[in-house]
Amino acid sequence: SLQIIQIDDLDLYDQTIIAIADVQDFLKYQWKLPTIVLAFEHEGAALAQAWEQGALAGWVWDNLPKNPVHSLFKIDAQYKRNQDSRDLPSAAELQKRLLPNPIELPNYQFESFFQPSAYLSGDWYDYWKLNDHEVLFYLADVSGHGVTSSLLTSWMAAFHGRSKTPSQLIQKLNAMLVQENIEKHITMVAGTLNLKTNTVCWSSAGHYPPPIILEQNQPPKILTTSSFPLGLTEDLEVEEHHCVLSHHSRFILCSDGALEPFDGGLNDQFNQLVEHLQNDSFQAPDHVADDIAILSICLVFFGPWLARPGPAGPGLTKGLSMRIGADLHKHELFIEKRCFSPILVVSGPSRPQK
């Protein structure tokens, strides 16, 4: 749709609607609407200045696009994509706010590390109390990166508190993925921690790396299993496994992005990861190609072996903490098709009326 408005009325309109205006009006009044400016051939300098001030595009009167509708559609689409990109930092902050808050537990502490490869992450973790002596937790990795994967993590967050066992949580998530025919799969480990018996009951859905148990003065225990990711089949078999945590131990879950800082093949990378977790020396690069998430269940009476506090709370490892519209009196311009956002034609005084 096309609408002619006066400059004095600009503030009455949605500031994301594309405007078409004379280049001199745009430079004089410097409004914030996304604007396509119109100029004569001799006004190249004015066009350049308008672009510097944020004009979306510049058209010359004697050389207008042969198909203005198509051109406007492309400009509008690109503008929306750019707006989406500008919104990514805010979206990232909102995603982090969906991460679980610390919970107070007798003898245990949940510690975490979260670093998206860009703004938004396809890795996720969550935990919540089932009752006074049980906590359910999971760490998940959505295939791919970017907005689609991160939307699935927000979808998973909606399952907070809806399941009582690891296998039940995995089955519910899998059924929803298959039912909605989402072309993504998710790997995850889910478990429950019994605070009275120190027992962890856990299940895996095609997740790598496997869970790790670290005990003081003991070799690491690697809890390897074989299973399928979520979203591939309706008939997903989920096995539950049990282990008892001894004093001075940690039960650690990692996404595969935690392997990225290390060289070599997959096994070499995993062994180096375990070694750094053991030595409290895991450090993620400032810029990573894959999302990283780590969740650790720790006994709080470790003594000095417990990971030291970071600036935002207890750290997972050393230095890491939860971070978690055209003056048309000159020429006529007709645009009738409605295939893009509304277009404002701004009529201003910079050119004398003829």
Side-chain angles (χ1 to χ4, degrees):
S1 64
L2 188 67
Q3 183 175 356
I4 298 178
I5 67 170
Q6 299 296 317
I7 287 177
D8 292 343
D9 297 330
L10 281 174
D11 293 339
L12 303 178
Y13 289 84
D14 183 347
Q15 295 299 296
T16 63
I17 294 177
I18 292 180
I20 303 174
D22 184 87
V23 67
Q24 301 298 337
D25 288 336
F26 179 77
L27 293 176
K28 180 178 179 180
Y29 294 98
Q30 299 184 9
W31 54 73
K32 299 301 182 183
L33 284 170
T35 304
I36 299 170
V37 295
L38 294 170
F40 290 112
E41 288 186 356
H42 66 273
E43 294 181 306
L47 279 176
Q49 187 178 351
W51 286 329
E52 289 179 0
Q53 294 186 11
L56 294 182
W59 291 349
V60 176
W61 278 114
D62 294 332
N63 191 25
L64 292 173
K66 294 180 180 179
N67 189 336
V69 170
H70 180 68
S71 297
L72 282 169
F73 181 84
K74 291 176 62 176
I75 292 169
D76 183 58
Q78 183 61 51
Y79 170 71
K80 289 176 179 175
R81 285 193 293 267
N82 291 341
Q83 285 299 106
D84 288 343
S85 298
R86 293 188 186 102
D87 287 342
L88 285 175
S90 297
E93 186 62 32
L94 287 173
Q95 185 186 41
K96 289 181 180 179
R97 291 182 184 180
L98 291 174
L99 290 167
N101 294 318
I103 54 176
E104 293 186 6
L105 300 170
N107 302 328
Y108 281 94
Q109 189 167 18
F110 279 68
E111 299 181 336
S112 58
F113 176 76
F114 182 75
Q115 182 172 331
S117 58
Y119 287 107
L120 300 170
S121 177
D123 293 354
W124 197 249
Y125 63 87
D126 201 355
Y127 47 80
W128 60 88
K129 287 183 178 180
L130 294 174
N131 48 57
D132 289 340
H133 62 276
E134 286 183 301
V135 180
L136 192 148
F137 61 90
Y138 72 83
L139 184 142
D141 187 348
V142 182
S143 60
H145 307 279
V147 174
T148 304
S149 297
S150 68
L151 286 174
L152 276 178
T153 66
S154 301
W155 169 75
M156 284 190 290
F159 279 78
H160 183 109
R162 295 190 183 184
S163 299
K164 302 299 183 182
T165 68
S167 58
Q168 186 182 64
L169 175 63
I170 289 175
Q171 294 282 15
K172 283 185 176 182
L173 289 170
N174 183 68
M176 288 295 295
L177 274 177
V178 173
Q179 177 182 337
E180 298 299 329
N181 196 27
I182 300 172
E183 295 182 356
K184 291 278 186 180
H185 68 265
I186 301 174
T187 71
M188 73 184 304
V189 174
T192 55
L193 168 66
N194 189 304
L195 304 173
K196 291 183 176 180
T197 65
N198 296 330
T199 301
V200 174
C201 172
W202 61 278
S203 299
S204 177
H207 191 78
Y208 189 87
I212 306 161
I213 296 179
L214 298 180
E215 301 172 302
Q216 195 172 25
N217 302 319
Q218 296 293 326
K221 295 179 181 178
I222 312 303
L223 308 180
T224 303
T225 61
S226 177
S227 55
F228 285 99
L230 308 180
L232 297 183
T233 177
E234 292 182 5
D235 303 320
L236 181 67
E237 296 184 4
V238 182
E239 295 183 1
E240 289 192 349
H241 310 272
H242 297 80
C243 60
V244 178
L245 299 181
S246 63
H247 297 326
H248 309 291
S249 63
R250 287 185 288 177
F251 184 92
I252 302 178
L253 304 177
C254 305
S255 67
D256 58 3
L259 304 172
E260 184 183 307
F262 308 110
D263 298 325
L266 202 58
N267 289 334
D268 293 334
Q269 290 176 307
F270 179 67
N271 291 333
Q272 292 175 75
L273 170 63
V274 172
E275 181 180 353
H276 281 272
L277 291 173
Q278 276 187 296
N279 297 331
D280 195 21
S281 60
F282 177 84
Q283 294 282 353
D286 293 334
H287 303 286
V288 293
D290 197 4
D291 307 319
I292 300 176
I294 304 176
L295 180 64
S296 175
I297 303 172
C298 311
L299 292 170
V300 297
F301 43 87
F302 278 11
W305 191 68
L306 180 64
R308 291 176 289 281
L316 172 69
T317 55
K318 182 179 180 181
L320 302 180
S321 60
M322 188 174 180
R323 356 201 228 272
I324 335 210
D327 187 352
L328 295 184
H329 58 261
K330 297 189 290 187
H331 295 274
E332 292 181 343
L333 180 65
F334 296 97
I335 302 170
E336 298 177 353
K337 293 185 181 179
R338 185 170 184 174
C339 57
F340 40 78
S341 298
I343 302 296
L344 299 181
V345 179
V346 181
S347 180
S350 294
R351 308 279 185 183
Q353 296 276 347
K354 293 184 179 179

